[in-house]
Amino acid sequence: ALQAQSVSPPAELSIRLVNGTNSCSGTVEVFYEGEWLGLCPSWSWRVRKATVVCRELGFVNVVATSRGPPFEEGRGGVKVFGCRGEVSSLRDCNSRGGQGFCDGDNYVNVTCSESVRLVDGAGFCSGRVEVKSSQSWASVCEADFDRQDAEVVCGELGCGAPAALQWGLYGEGQGQTWHKEFQCKGNESLLLDCDTSDRKNNNCLLGNAVGLTCSEVDYMRLVEGGSRCAGGVEWYDQGEWRTMGTDDWEDVAAVVCRQLGCGSTVSVLLGGNTIKWIGIGCDGSEPALRECKRTHCLDYSFTVICSG
């Protein structure tokens, strides 16, 4: 006779990704007090916490974090905060949840990467190309990698088009070298979906590990300033360009100029109006705005003039 088997519920504060385009992406849900609830963005939510989510789920790294679907009335949500130091799980942080959380807000979407990464660069979109092979990482020889391969990698990591492809640009890897030649067409979603062939030359000389720089996705711009390096700061969000606000003008301006390749900050002019929802805070060292924290409060709009 068949016997019913009891299924243990997930551990408290377990996490999962749902409704994504693949197993590496989706809306973050947290198992909280007996039910799965969407994760709400706290004021300190930033890429570092999204990295914890991806690694806890067994992925390599975070590609992108963004606003997910709107809060569902009557469902509730979970906020995670107080993550101090290098945490390996959201369980190491503080959390609160239930009905009434996330009111008027959106849940968090995360995209993770499991097969390719860029290391020793200035951010997620630049570095030495490494491919995961048998649970370890392998550098890619420049002879086995071309522009079409680079287009696939940049797209998989959520970055813009390839900007630079050069051997030895970001140093040598410490481990093995990838043993195949990639033959991407440029329209694949993942690098490991591309065709491969045996390497024509069995030797990959020291210093020939391929380095790749992808452009940042154009989700930020300066407007009405007379050039691409001056103007009011706008952020592309939910299908439209919106004014960005901050109370960390100097630090945010430094990141804006750096991301746009416009040199250093010359001046920051505070706007006269306040805006809501697209607030941001940086410490000034980030390579791009997506590594800064989002804020959900009233902030002043501002204009940046960069040296470039």
Side-chain angles (χ1 to χ4, degrees):
L2 294 175
Q3 294 182 348
Q5 295 182 346
S6 60
V7 178
S8 300
E12 185 73 358
L13 298 182
S14 295
I15 56 176
R16 68 182 184 183
L17 301 179
V18 299
N19 300 325
T21 57
N22 53 48
S23 62
C24 307
S25 65
T27 303
V28 184
E29 290 190 342
V30 182
F31 193 74
Y32 186 86
E33 296 184 351
E35 61 180 330
W36 287 102
L37 299 176
L39 181 65
C40 323
S42 63
W43 70 270
S44 60
W45 177 265
R46 61 170 74 194
V47 169
R48 187 171 68 89
K49 287 184 185 175
T51 300
V52 175
V53 168
C54 290
R55 292 179 179 174
E56 185 173 349
L57 290 171
F59 298 111
V60 176
N61 215 335
V62 62
V63 170
T65 177
S66 61
R67 293 176 70 188
F71 163 75
E72 297 177 24
E73 182 108 19
R75 185 182 177 208
V78 179
K79 285 194 176 183
V80 175
F81 55 94
C83 300
R84 301 185 181 278
E86 293 298 321
V87 299
S88 58
S89 167
L90 291 187
R91 296 187 183 93
D92 298 329
C93 309
N94 298 319
S95 60
R96 294 180 62 191
Q99 298 297 322
F101 283 80
C102 287
D103 280 352
D105 212 332
N106 289 62
Y107 296 119
V108 170
N109 273 3
V110 167
T111 301
C112 307
S113 172
E114 61 177 347
S115 60
V116 64
R117 65 182 183 181
L118 300 178
V119 297
D120 294 338
F124 288 116
C125 292
S126 65
R128 185 176 60 256
V129 179
E130 291 190 348
V131 178
K132 196 171 187 179
S133 173
S134 301
Q135 304 306 310
S136 61
W137 288 97
S139 299
V140 177
C141 190
E142 59 89 17
D144 302 331
F145 197 85
D146 62 16
R147 175 82 182 191
Q148 289 176 303
D149 305 329
E151 289 175 356
V152 175
V153 170
C154 290
E156 180 176 349
L157 295 179
C159 304
L165 180 63
Q166 181 180 340
W167 52 267
L169 187 62
Y170 295 104
E172 287 296 309
Q174 300 299 315
Q176 59 184 319
T177 301
W178 181 251
H179 58 283
K180 295 281 188 178
E181 179 179 349
F182 287 106
Q183 296 177 333
C184 300
K185 299 179 178 64
N187 58 358
E188 296 87 350
S189 299
L190 305 172
L191 181 64
L192 294 189
D193 287 343
C194 297
D195 293 334
T196 60
S197 63
D198 292 331
R199 180 185 296 155
K200 297 175 184 177
N201 184 351
N202 289 328
N203 295 320
C204 185
L205 299 177
L206 186 66
N208 281 9
V210 67
L212 173 63
T213 301
C214 309
S215 59
E216 291 284 345
V217 177
D218 293 331
Y219 58 86
M220 183 269 296
R221 67 182 181 182
L222 301 180
V223 297
E224 299 179 359
S227 78
R228 62 176 296 272
C229 292
V233 185
E234 290 189 344
W235 180 286
Y236 192 74
D237 183 74
Q238 300 289 297
E240 62 179 321
W241 287 99
R242 305 186 184 188
T243 302
M244 179 186 294
T246 186
D247 56 6
D248 297 328
W249 309 294
E250 292 184 357
D251 291 334
V252 172
V255 179
V256 167
C257 293
R258 183 180 301 121
Q259 179 177 334
L260 292 175
C262 289
S264 58
T265 307
V266 173
S267 66
V268 184
L269 306 176
L270 182 62
N273 61 314
T274 58
I275 58 99
K276 193 177 182 180
W277 299 119
I278 315 299
I280 198 162
C282 308
D283 64 23
S285 63
E286 296 88 350
L289 286 180
R290 69 175 175 179
E291 299 195 27
C292 301
K293 66 176 183 287
R294 292 284 293 270
T295 62
H296 292 168
C297 55
L298 289 171
D299 287 319
Y300 285 99
S301 62
F302 62 107
T303 297
V304 175
I305 300 176
C306 307
S307 61

PDB file of all heavy atoms in Angstrom, residues 32-47:
ATOM      1  N   TYR A  32       9.029  33.003   4.993  1.00  0.00           N
ATOM      2  CA  TYR A  32       8.933  33.751   6.245  1.00  0.00           C
ATOM      3  C   TYR A  32       7.678  33.334   7.003  1.00  0.00           C
ATOM      4  O   TYR A  32       6.553  33.493   6.492  1.00  0.00           O
ATOM      5  CB  TYR A  32       8.908  35.254   5.950  1.00  0.00           C
ATOM      6  CG  TYR A  32       8.950  36.149   7.166  1.00  0.00           C
ATOM      7  CD1 TYR A  32      10.166  36.507   7.747  1.00  0.00           C
ATOM      8  CD2 TYR A  32       7.776  36.639   7.727  1.00  0.00           C
ATOM      9  CE1 TYR A  32      10.210  37.327   8.853  1.00  0.00           C
ATOM     10  CE2 TYR A  32       7.810  37.458   8.838  1.00  0.00           C
ATOM     11  CZ  TYR A  32       9.029  37.802   9.401  1.00  0.00           C
ATOM     12  OH  TYR A  32       9.067  38.623  10.506  1.00  0.00           O
ATOM     13  N   GLU A  33       7.869  32.770   8.182  1.00  0.00           N
ATOM     14  CA  GLU A  33       6.770  32.367   9.059  1.00  0.00           C
ATOM     15  C   GLU A  33       5.733  31.526   8.320  1.00  0.00           C
ATOM     16  O   GLU A  33       4.517  31.773   8.374  1.00  0.00           O
ATOM     17  CB  GLU A  33       6.127  33.593   9.715  1.00  0.00           C
ATOM     18  CG  GLU A  33       7.091  34.335  10.647  1.00  0.00           C
ATOM     19  CD  GLU A  33       6.433  35.485  11.378  1.00  0.00           C
ATOM     20  OE1 GLU A  33       5.279  35.837  11.046  1.00  0.00           O
ATOM     21  OE2 GLU A  33       7.080  36.034  12.295  1.00  0.00           O
ATOM     22  N   GLY A  34       6.224  30.521   7.587  1.00  0.00           N
ATOM     23  CA  GLY A  34       5.345  29.531   6.992  1.00  0.00           C
ATOM     24  C   GLY A  34       4.840  29.815   5.599  1.00  0.00           C
ATOM     25  O   GLY A  34       4.049  29.025   5.058  1.00  0.00           O
ATOM     26  N   GLU A  35       5.265  30.908   4.953  1.00  0.00           N
ATOM     27  CA  GLU A  35       4.805  31.193   3.593  1.00  0.00           C
ATOM     28  C   GLU A  35       5.885  31.925   2.804  1.00  0.00           C
ATOM     29  O   GLU A  35       6.777  32.558   3.371  1.00  0.00           O
ATOM     30  CB  GLU A  35       3.518  32.017   3.617  1.00  0.00           C
ATOM     31  CG  GLU A  35       3.642  33.370   4.286  1.00  0.00           C
ATOM     32  CD  GLU A  35       2.328  34.148   4.269  1.00  0.00           C
ATOM     33  OE1 GLU A  35       1.537  33.953   3.322  1.00  0.00           O
ATOM     34  OE2 GLU A  35       2.103  34.942   5.193  1.00  0.00           O
ATOM     35  N   TRP A  36       5.785  31.810   1.473  1.00  0.00           N
ATOM     36  CA  TRP A  36       6.712  32.494   0.599  1.00  0.00           C
ATOM     37  C   TRP A  36       6.222  33.921   0.356  1.00  0.00           C
ATOM     38  O   TRP A  36       5.099  34.122  -0.104  1.00  0.00           O
ATOM     39  CB  TRP A  36       6.833  31.766  -0.741  1.00  0.00           C
ATOM     40  CG  TRP A  36       7.606  30.482  -0.657  1.00  0.00           C
ATOM     41  CD1 TRP A  36       7.087  29.229  -0.627  1.00  0.00           C
ATOM     42  CD2 TRP A  36       9.026  30.344  -0.583  1.00  0.00           C
ATOM     43  NE1 TRP A  36       8.099  28.291  -0.535  1.00  0.00           N
ATOM     44  CE2 TRP A  36       9.310  28.957  -0.511  1.00  0.00           C
ATOM     45  CE3 TRP A  36      10.088  31.245  -0.565  1.00  0.00           C
ATOM     46  CZ2 TRP A  36      10.597  28.455  -0.438  1.00  0.00           C
ATOM     47  CZ3 TRP A  36      11.372  30.744  -0.486  1.00  0.00           C
ATOM     48  CH2 TRP A  36      11.631  29.372  -0.423  1.00  0.00           C
ATOM     49  N   LEU A  37       7.070  34.899   0.682  1.00  0.00           N
ATOM     50  CA  LEU A  37       6.733  36.311   0.514  1.00  0.00           C
ATOM     51  C   LEU A  37       7.789  36.988  -0.360  1.00  0.00           C
ATOM     52  O   LEU A  37       8.968  36.636  -0.311  1.00  0.00           O
ATOM     53  CB  LEU A  37       6.657  37.020   1.865  1.00  0.00           C
ATOM     54  CG  LEU A  37       5.613  36.508   2.863  1.00  0.00           C
ATOM     55  CD1 LEU A  37       5.736  37.262   4.185  1.00  0.00           C
ATOM     56  CD2 LEU A  37       4.204  36.632   2.300  1.00  0.00           C
ATOM     57  N   GLY A  38       7.364  37.975  -1.132  1.00  0.00           N
ATOM     58  CA  GLY A  38       8.311  38.711  -1.951  1.00  0.00           C
ATOM     59  C   GLY A  38       9.259  39.557  -1.113  1.00  0.00           C
ATOM     60  O   GLY A  38       8.887  40.052  -0.035  1.00  0.00           O
ATOM     61  N   LEU A  39      10.495  39.701  -1.591  1.00  0.00           N
ATOM     62  CA  LEU A  39      11.483  40.526  -0.889  1.00  0.00           C
ATOM     63  C   LEU A  39      11.288  41.984  -1.282  1.00  0.00           C
ATOM     64  O   LEU A  39      11.268  42.326  -2.463  1.00  0.00           O
ATOM     65  CB  LEU A  39      12.896  40.069  -1.245  1.00  0.00           C
ATOM     66  CG  LEU A  39      14.044  40.830  -0.575  1.00  0.00           C
ATOM     67  CD1 LEU A  39      14.034  40.601   0.936  1.00  0.00           C
ATOM     68  CD2 LEU A  39      15.390  40.390  -1.160  1.00  0.00           C
ATOM     69  N   CYS A  40      11.153  42.850  -0.280  1.00  0.00           N
ATOM     70  CA  CYS A  40      10.993  44.282  -0.521  1.00  0.00           C
ATOM     71  C   CYS A  40      12.370  44.950  -0.494  1.00  0.00           C
ATOM     72  O   CYS A  40      13.237  44.554   0.284  1.00  0.00           O
ATOM     73  CB  CYS A  40      10.136  44.938   0.560  1.00  0.00           C
ATOM     74  SG  CYS A  40       8.763  43.950   1.162  1.00  0.00           S
ATOM     75  N   PRO A  41      12.590  45.987  -1.302  1.00  0.00           N
ATOM     76  CA  PRO A  41      13.865  46.710  -1.237  1.00  0.00           C
ATOM     77  C   PRO A  41      13.905  47.603  -0.006  1.00  0.00           C
ATOM     78  O   PRO A  41      13.035  48.434   0.204  1.00  0.00           O
ATOM     79  CB  PRO A  41      13.865  47.543  -2.528  1.00  0.00           C
ATOM     80  CG  PRO A  41      12.422  47.750  -2.829  1.00  0.00           C
ATOM     81  CD  PRO A  41      11.693  46.529  -2.344  1.00  0.00           C
ATOM     82  N   SER A  42      14.902  47.417   0.843  1.00  0.00           N
ATOM     83  CA  SER A  42      15.100  48.326   1.972  1.00  0.00           C
ATOM     84  C   SER A  42      15.916  49.518   1.491  1.00  0.00           C
ATOM     85  O   SER A  42      16.464  49.517   0.391  1.00  0.00           O
ATOM     86  CB  SER A  42      15.829  47.609   3.113  1.00  0.00           C
ATOM     87  OG  SER A  42      17.124  47.209   2.701  1.00  0.00           O
ATOM     88  N   TRP A  43      16.042  50.537   2.302  1.00  0.00           N
ATOM     89  CA  TRP A  43      16.790  51.731   1.890  1.00  0.00           C
ATOM     90  C   TRP A  43      18.246  51.408   1.612  1.00  0.00           C
ATOM     91  O   TRP A  43      18.921  52.080   0.848  1.00  0.00           O
ATOM     92  CB  TRP A  43      16.697  52.818   2.960  1.00  0.00           C
ATOM     93  CG  TRP A  43      17.463  52.504   4.213  1.00  0.00           C
ATOM     94  CD1 TRP A  43      17.007  51.849   5.312  1.00  0.00           C
ATOM     95  CD2 TRP A  43      18.836  52.797   4.484  1.00  0.00           C
ATOM     96  NE1 TRP A  43      17.996  51.711   6.249  1.00  0.00           N
ATOM     97  CE2 TRP A  43      19.133  52.300   5.766  1.00  0.00           C
ATOM     98  CE3 TRP A  43      19.851  53.438   3.767  1.00  0.00           C
ATOM     99  CZ2 TRP A  43      20.394  52.408   6.359  1.00  0.00           C
ATOM    100  CZ3 TRP A  43      21.106  53.553   4.342  1.00  0.00           C
ATOM    101  CH2 TRP A  43      21.354  53.046   5.636  1.00  0.00           C
ATOM    102  N   SER A  44      18.748  50.339   2.228  1.00  0.00           N
ATOM    103  CA  SER A  44      20.166  49.995   2.054  1.00  0.00           C
ATOM    104  C   SER A  44      20.367  48.860   1.062  1.00  0.00           C
ATOM    105  O   SER A  44      21.449  48.305   0.969  1.00  0.00           O
ATOM    106  CB  SER A  44      20.768  49.588   3.409  1.00  0.00           C
ATOM    107  OG  SER A  44      20.087  48.462   3.948  1.00  0.00           O
ATOM    108  N   TRP A  45      19.297  48.481   0.320  1.00  0.00           N
ATOM    109  CA  TRP A  45      19.455  47.401  -0.654  1.00  0.00           C
ATOM    110  C   TRP A  45      20.418  47.844  -1.747  1.00  0.00           C
ATOM    111  O   TRP A  45      20.278  48.879  -2.342  1.00  0.00           O
ATOM    112  CB  TRP A  45      18.102  47.045  -1.268  1.00  0.00           C
ATOM    113  CG  TRP A  45      18.252  45.989  -2.325  1.00  0.00           C
ATOM    114  CD1 TRP A  45      18.384  46.185  -3.663  1.00  0.00           C
ATOM    115  CD2 TRP A  45      18.334  44.579  -2.113  1.00  0.00           C
ATOM    116  NE1 TRP A  45      18.532  44.981  -4.309  1.00  0.00           N
ATOM    117  CE2 TRP A  45      18.507  43.976  -3.390  1.00  0.00           C
ATOM    118  CE3 TRP A  45      18.275  43.757  -0.988  1.00  0.00           C
ATOM    119  CZ2 TRP A  45      18.618  42.599  -3.550  1.00  0.00           C
ATOM    120  CZ3 TRP A  45      18.384  42.395  -1.152  1.00  0.00           C
ATOM    121  CH2 TRP A  45      18.555  41.828  -2.417  1.00  0.00           C
ATOM    122  N   ARG A  46      21.402  47.032  -2.018  1.00  0.00           N
ATOM    123  CA  ARG A  46      22.360  47.338  -3.068  1.00  0.00           C
ATOM    124  C   ARG A  46      22.917  46.035  -3.614  1.00  0.00           C
ATOM    125  O   ARG A  46      22.541  44.951  -3.193  1.00  0.00           O
ATOM    126  CB  ARG A  46      23.469  48.262  -2.573  1.00  0.00           C
ATOM    127  CG  ARG A  46      24.303  47.708  -1.436  1.00  0.00           C
ATOM    128  CD  ARG A  46      25.524  48.590  -1.187  1.00  0.00           C
ATOM    129  NE  ARG A  46      25.184  49.832  -0.525  1.00  0.00           N
ATOM    130  CZ  ARG A  46      26.020  50.855  -0.457  1.00  0.00           C
ATOM    131  NH1 ARG A  46      27.212  50.790  -1.021  1.00  0.00           N
ATOM    132  NH2 ARG A  46      25.681  51.951   0.179  1.00  0.00           N
ATOM    133  N   VAL A  47      23.850  46.146  -4.576  1.00  0.00           N
ATOM    134  CA  VAL A  47      24.350  44.966  -5.267  1.00  0.00           C
ATOM    135  C   VAL A  47      24.987  43.964  -4.317  1.00  0.00           C
ATOM    136  O   VAL A  47      24.894  42.753  -4.519  1.00  0.00           O
ATOM    137  CB  VAL A  47      25.351  45.388  -6.373  1.00  0.00           C
ATOM    138  CG1 VAL A  47      26.086  44.182  -6.927  1.00  0.00           C
ATOM    139  CG2 VAL A  47      24.621  46.102  -7.495  1.00  0.00           C
TER     140      VAL A  47
END
